[in-house]
Amino acid sequence: MKIGNLLLAGLIISGCQSKTNVDLVIKNATILNIEAGSQIENRFVFIAADSIVEVGDESLMEKYSALEDVDAAGRFLMPGLWDNHVHFGGAEYIDENEQLLPLYLAFGVTTVRDAAGDISLEVLKWRDEINNGQRIGPKILTSGPKLEGIESIWPGDLEVGTEEELDAALDSLDKLNIDFVKITDNTLKPALFLKAVEKATARGYSVSGHIPAALTLGQVSKAGQKTVEHLSYMMRATTPLEAEISNGRASGKLSGSEAAALQADTYSDSVAFANFQQLAKQGTGVVPTILISYNIAYLDENDFTSDTILNYLGPKLKESYQWRIEKMAGESPEVTQSRKENFKKVSSLLPMIQKSGMKIIAGTDAGYLNTYDFPGLAIHLELQKFVEFGLTPQEALVASVINGPGYFGITDYETVEAGKKANLILLNKNPLEDISATLSIQDVIKDGKVYTREKLDTMLNQIKIWVSEKESKE
């Protein structure tokens, strides 16, 4: 062989050896930048282990050697969806909750924020197993057991009646290595509620919760509460009499219905907007969960029982939906109509909240008990409701994939770029143009592993078979 040919062969061998090995390349994708509302075509995304190594054009193929490739020509790549308010619960059907993990993933939900239930130890175990690659499912960020008052209605919570008990409860949450703190107001004293928010915040936790009737939104926000869970609570800040109403509730001079009527009679757009701006300045956002409110308000008009997703939910989980159906069965037409009008009024606050600068964080309340609030599918329908009530598709998507991680101060998931985690969804249609396109899932990439449409369908079929067998034994 001539010296020139030897040199050429050496360069070829050297060039091959210099290629960097990666696990996956996604070719020819149109990448969606959700925060900017923009897109860029024909991108190549190189992934090693659970992270994105580099994003660029086709010339990068000369730099990397991939074990697996996905041709994404004509498709849209974006971060996986975050459902920022779900519940795993029902101690007597833990196995049915377990089936929800692959179900979420099959619907492109790569992260869930578990906002408390009565099977916290199991959820914590699942979280760690998923993080360690021992189980398939979405990334779980969990509150563990929530904080409540003595003899609350919620099973599995941590009941506190004194500041000393509160400290002990927070110590126990520290030991569980929870991801955030959830506080509700069934029997927790208002003063202790505020103290719980302050102390949990001081320990470095993001705090979510309901709002006691005896407190204003401003009070819990100043104490450090990072999110108001459920949009209906935001109505309290729409009246100049918010403080008087909360005082009336605290003293017992106002009933719940009287407070609601006074609040409605004194509603003011300007007061609401100013209050929302102040909450934004103090760092408090809202998780609207309007889908479940819609389901309840329009239960008489919609036949949820024919939805095929019921085939993927265990029998006891579906049975847990019945309590509200039975409770509402005897309601008068006037009560039903009032609920619908209230739902529309509450939901109409969304554009104003968005304009105020408050962070809207998309979550669904999906899981057990919440009637026809279907795990996995729910976040897609929640985002559709956001758009129906005045947000743009981009704003709706930001609420899920940008503001979700932002709640935790996490910056590894919100874009498709080098250094970010490879939790992604590949769509056949563009959700920035039509929000319903989030359902056009072709592939899901979780921790760098590809779940093709075929694999996702197989997962769904396995869940369906499991549910069918479970039902046959009941």
Side-chain angles (χ1 to χ4, degrees):
M1 182 179 287
K2 294 182 179 180
I3 292 177
N5 290 339
L6 285 170
L7 288 173
L8 180 59
L11 286 172
I12 292 171
I13 293 170
S14 174
C16 291
Q17 290 176 338
S18 68
K19 277 196 173 186
T20 301
N21 292 323
V22 294
D23 296 300
L24 172 68
V25 57
I26 302 172
K27 302 177 179 179
N28 306 306
T30 296
I31 293 178
L32 303 181
N33 185 318
I34 300 303
E35 189 165 30
S38 62
Q39 63 187 59
I40 183 167
E41 298 177 354
N42 300 319
R43 295 290 91 183
F44 286 64
V45 181
F46 297 86
I47 296 168
D50 66 349
S51 297
I52 299 171
V53 175
E54 193 168 358
V55 178
D57 60 26
E58 189 174 6
S59 65
L60 288 176
M61 291 296 293
E62 299 177 3
K63 181 179 178 181
Y64 294 100
S65 176
L67 296 175
E68 186 177 5
D69 67 88
V70 171
D71 186 358
R75 297 191 171 106
F76 303 87
L77 188 67
M78 63 169 281
L81 295 172
W82 286 53
D83 188 336
N84 296 285
H85 189 127
V86 308
H87 294 286
F88 297 102
E92 70 274 26
Y93 46 98
I94 291 172
D95 57 343
E96 295 184 18
N97 283 268
E98 198 171 6
Q99 295 299 312
L100 301 181
L101 300 174
L103 184 63
Y104 275 115
L105 207 58
F107 275 92
V109 181
T110 54
T111 305
V112 297
R113 187 181 69 141
D114 167 53
D118 60 342
I119 58 171
S120 294
L121 294 180
E122 285 78 11
V123 174
L124 285 160
K125 178 174 175 285
W126 296 339
R127 177 197 65 180
D128 294 343
E129 289 174 347
I130 290 169
N131 288 343
N132 294 331
Q134 299 169 298
R135 178 185 290 274
I136 291 174
K139 179 179 179 65
I140 297 174
L141 296 160
T142 180
S143 68
K146 62 187 171 187
L147 298 179
E148 252 294 357
I150 304 300
E151 296 182 356
S152 86
I153 62 171
W154 304 112
D157 58 13
L158 293 175
E159 298 184 356
V160 297
T162 66
E163 194 167 337
E164 292 73 23
E165 290 173 348
L166 171 60
D167 289 336
L170 289 171
D171 288 343
S172 72
L173 292 177
D174 286 342
K175 292 176 182 176
L176 288 175
N177 192 29
I178 60 161
D179 301 295
F180 71 105
V181 169
K182 173 78 178 293
I183 312 174
T184 54
D185 63 333
N186 177 236
T187 60
L188 188 58
K189 300 170 186 175
L192 197 55
F193 185 102
L194 287 178
K195 188 62 68 173
V197 174
E198 291 170 356
K199 290 200 167 194
T201 301
R203 293 191 186 211
Y205 292 111
S206 292
V207 178
S208 290
H210 298 179
I211 311 297
L215 298 174
T216 65
L217 270 70
Q219 286 176 295
V220 298
S221 175
K222 288 175 183 176
Q225 188 160 319
K226 201 162 183 179
T227 56
V228 175
E229 302 296 313
H230 315 302
L231 188 62
S232 57
Y233 286 111
M234 298 301 295
M235 287 297 294
R236 297 193 195 171
T238 64
T239 168
L241 300 183
E242 184 186 7
E244 290 88 337
I245 292 172
S246 67
N247 289 335
R249 294 288 281 131
S251 66
K253 292 180 180 179
L254 284 177
S255 66
S257 59
E258 289 170 336
L262 183 55
Q263 174 184 286
D265 290 342
T266 57
Y267 176 92
S268 166
D269 279 338
S270 60
V271 168
F273 188 65
N275 283 337
F276 296 163
Q277 285 182 308
Q278 185 60 38
L279 291 172
K281 289 177 183 177
Q282 292 165 188
T284 300
V286 61
V287 183
T289 66
I290 62 173
L291 178 66
I292 182 60
S293 298
Y294 166 79
N295 288 353
I296 296 167
Y298 291 86
L299 194 59
D300 65 321
E301 294 185 26
N302 296 310
D303 182 15
F304 296 100
T305 60
S306 62
D307 200 311
T308 56
I309 196 174
L310 288 167
N311 295 326
Y312 305 96
L313 304 179
K316 290 191 177 298
L317 195 154
K318 285 181 285 200
E319 186 180 320
S320 76
Y321 291 167
Q322 295 303 311
W323 74 274
R324 184 176 277 116
I325 296 170
E326 293 168 2
K327 179 182 177 183
M328 295 172 61
E331 284 185 348
S332 68
E334 291 76 17
V335 170
T336 300
Q337 185 59 32
S338 176
R339 183 179 286 108
K340 291 176 183 177
E341 294 302 320
N342 183 65
F343 167 75
K344 288 186 283 188
K345 180 64 176 176
V346 171
S347 299
S348 72
L349 294 177
L350 276 176
M352 185 191 298
I353 292 172
Q354 177 72 29
K355 187 178 178 181
S356 76
M358 281 188 76
K359 291 286 192 296
I360 297 173
I361 304 176
T364 65
D365 226 358
Y368 74 125
L369 296 178
N370 289 323
T371 307
Y372 302 129
D373 199 358
F374 302 127
L377 175 62
I379 189 63
H380 299 271
L381 303 183
E382 181 82 10
L383 298 184
Q384 289 176 29
K385 288 296 174 191
F386 282 5
V387 173
E388 180 182 337
F389 282 95
L391 300 192
T392 66
Q394 180 205 4
E395 289 167 343
L397 291 167
V398 164
S400 174
V401 305
I402 305 295
N403 294 344
Y407 171 85
F408 295 96
I410 297 174
T411 59
D412 294 340
Y413 295 90
E414 71 276 29
T415 53
V416 184
E417 60 182 343
K420 303 297 185 180
K421 295 296 184 183
N423 283 10
L424 311 168
I425 51 176
L426 186 63
L427 305 174
N428 291 310
K429 299 177 183 177
N430 188 349
L432 288 173
E433 297 175 355
D434 178 357
I435 194 61
S436 67
T438 59
L439 282 166
S440 66
I441 298 167
Q442 180 63 33
D443 298 331
V444 174
I445 297 92
K446 171 65 169 47
D447 294 330
K449 181 178 179 181
V450 180
Y451 296 85
T452 63
R453 184 68 262 167
E454 183 180 4
K455 288 180 181 178
L456 296 174
D457 288 340
T458 298
M459 285 163 53
L460 287 170
N461 191 52
Q462 288 171 343
I463 299 168
K464 186 176 180 179
I465 291 171
W466 186 94
V467 169
S468 177
E469 292 176 348
K470 174 89 172 182
E471 288 178 330
S472 68
K473 297 174 183 176
E474 290 290 312

